[in-house]
């Protein structure tokens, strides 16, 4: 793994939002990859797991296989990482495909000595001395880390939230807006912090947004339509 010098602080690198994910050479269930060549140019979900042929991990693999069409529609590719051999990961992917009825088509990185997991902050000694935790990174097409999720060993991830965050990030980039809490596709979006009212008028049109408070400005649906098809406003209470 090729970590930039600024990423090494003695304790290894812990991926943070905004970092460019470092390049690495890896063995996967679909052959060797050079990560940047594989990931650049598409949105990527990279997730770590503590091990093949284990219960929670199997359900997570099945969940990601089940949403393959949803990920394709969003232009998103998936790659996993676990501390197992390529042979074991391959056999496990086949078994999960048979058991749950959805083919696991994405590659799994084999990291039997844990070198990649340690270098990427995927191990948490208080959760397990050696196994990777359930870490999920969303990388944009420029290889920049845009989202980091961490789950403990005994709690599996939810694919709904992964899809929601992918939609939110893509909407944020498409319209240059801010995305409210609990947003779902079809909900209103916000004028981002740092934009003055005059700047908001220029970007979204006068009358294209309204202020619920000075600090909370909501885009009107017509603006969304004009700048690319965003959505109607969820009505806030009026006081
Ligand atoms: C699981 O998938 O259930 C699991 C795997 C490794 C350690 C703990 C839990």
């Amino acid at each position: 793994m090729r970590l930039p010098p600024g990423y090494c602080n003695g304790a290894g690198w812990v991926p943070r939002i905004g970092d460019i994910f470092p390049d690495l050479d890896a063995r996967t269930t679909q052959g060797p990859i050079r990560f940047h060549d594989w990931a650049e140019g598409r949105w990527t979900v990279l997730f770590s797991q503590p091990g093949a042929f284990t219960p929670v991990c199997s359900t997570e693999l099945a969940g990601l296989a089940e949403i393959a069409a949803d990920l394709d529609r969003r232009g998103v590719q998936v790659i996993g990482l676990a501390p197992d051999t390529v042979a074991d990961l391959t056999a496990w992917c086949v078994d999960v495909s048979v058991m749950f009825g959805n083919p696991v088509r994405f590659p799994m990185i084999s990291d039997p000595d844990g070198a990649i997991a340690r270098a990427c902050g995927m191990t948490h000694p208080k959760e397990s001395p050696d196994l990777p935790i359930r870490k999920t990174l969303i990388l944009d097409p420029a290889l920049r880390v845009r989202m980091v999720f961490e789950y403990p060993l005994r709690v599996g991830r939810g694919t709904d939230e992964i899809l929601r965050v992918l939609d939110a990030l893509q909407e944020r980039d498409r319209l240059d807006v801010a995305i409210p809490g609990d947003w779902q596709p079809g909900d209103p979006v916000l004028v981002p912090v740092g934009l003055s009212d005059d700047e908001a008028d220029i970007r979204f049109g006068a009358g294209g947004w309204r202020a619920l408070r000075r600090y909370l400005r909501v885009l009107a649906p017509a603006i969304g339509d004009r700048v690319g098809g965003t959505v109607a406003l969820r009505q806030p209470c009026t006081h």
Side-chain angles (χ1 to χ4, degrees):
M1 180 148 203
R2 289 171 284 281
L3 285 180
Y7 282 14
C8 305
N9 60 9
W13 172 60
V14 176
R16 282 177 300 195
I17 290 172
D19 288 344
I20 296 290
F21 194 87
D23 202 7
L24 61 96
D25 294 306
R27 300 184 67 220
T28 82
T29 49
Q30 296 177 11
I33 62 163
R34 184 152 187 177
F35 187 76
H36 278 192
D37 292 344
W38 184 86
E40 192 165 20
R42 295 193 69 192
W43 288 83
T44 296
V45 173
L46 165 64
F47 68 98
S48 61
Q49 290 192 310
F53 297 108
T54 55
V56 176
C57 295
S58 299
T59 59
E60 290 185 323
L61 218 56
L64 287 164
E66 190 178 344
I67 62 165
D70 301 302
L71 293 162
D72 277 355
R73 248 195 319 281
R74 292 162 171 84
V76 178
Q77 57 185 1
V78 172
I79 188 164
L81 175 146
D84 301 276
T85 63
V86 167
D88 280 350
L89 289 171
T90 304
W92 180 46
C93 288
V94 170
D95 202 38
V96 169
S97 303
V98 170
M99 184 167 33
F100 290 88
N102 290 300
V104 176
R105 292 216 171 91
F106 49 83
M108 293 290 294
I109 294 173
S110 165
D111 184 33
D113 59 3
I116 299 174
R118 277 194 303 282
C120 294
M122 291 169 167
T123 51
H124 287 205
K126 289 176 189 147
E127 183 68 359
S128 164
D130 47 2
L131 299 175
I133 59 150
R134 304 180 192 285
K135 192 150 187 160
T136 310
L137 304 179
I138 295 180
L139 312 182
D140 69 16
L143 302 167
R144 197 171 292 285
V145 176
R146 299 293 298 276
M147 182 74 185
V148 181
F149 304 87
E150 290 186 349
Y151 283 66
L153 293 186
R154 291 207 191 170
V155 178
R157 285 160 276 218
T159 51
D160 285 352
E161 180 61 0
I162 293 173
L163 291 176
R164 193 190 75 86
V165 171
L166 283 163
D167 286 335
L169 289 168
Q170 293 183 348
E171 188 82 335
R172 176 244 177 272
D173 288 4
R174 189 168 67 85
L175 301 178
D176 200 6
V177 292
I179 306 294
D182 287 331
W183 178 86
Q184 294 288 342
D187 287 350
V189 295
L190 305 175
V191 176
V193 164
L195 218 59
S196 69
D197 288 354
D198 288 343
E199 289 165 333
D201 280 348
I202 291 166
R203 189 177 304 168
F204 304 117
W209 54 274
R210 65 192 170 98
L212 302 178
R213 294 285 187 273
R214 284 181 57 78
Y215 57 84
L216 178 54
R217 295 167 297 170
V218 184
L219 259 70
I223 286 302
D225 294 344
R226 214 177 311 150
V227 291
T230 203
V231 292
L233 297 173
R234 178 190 280 168
Q235 288 305 309
C237 64
T238 50
H239 44 273

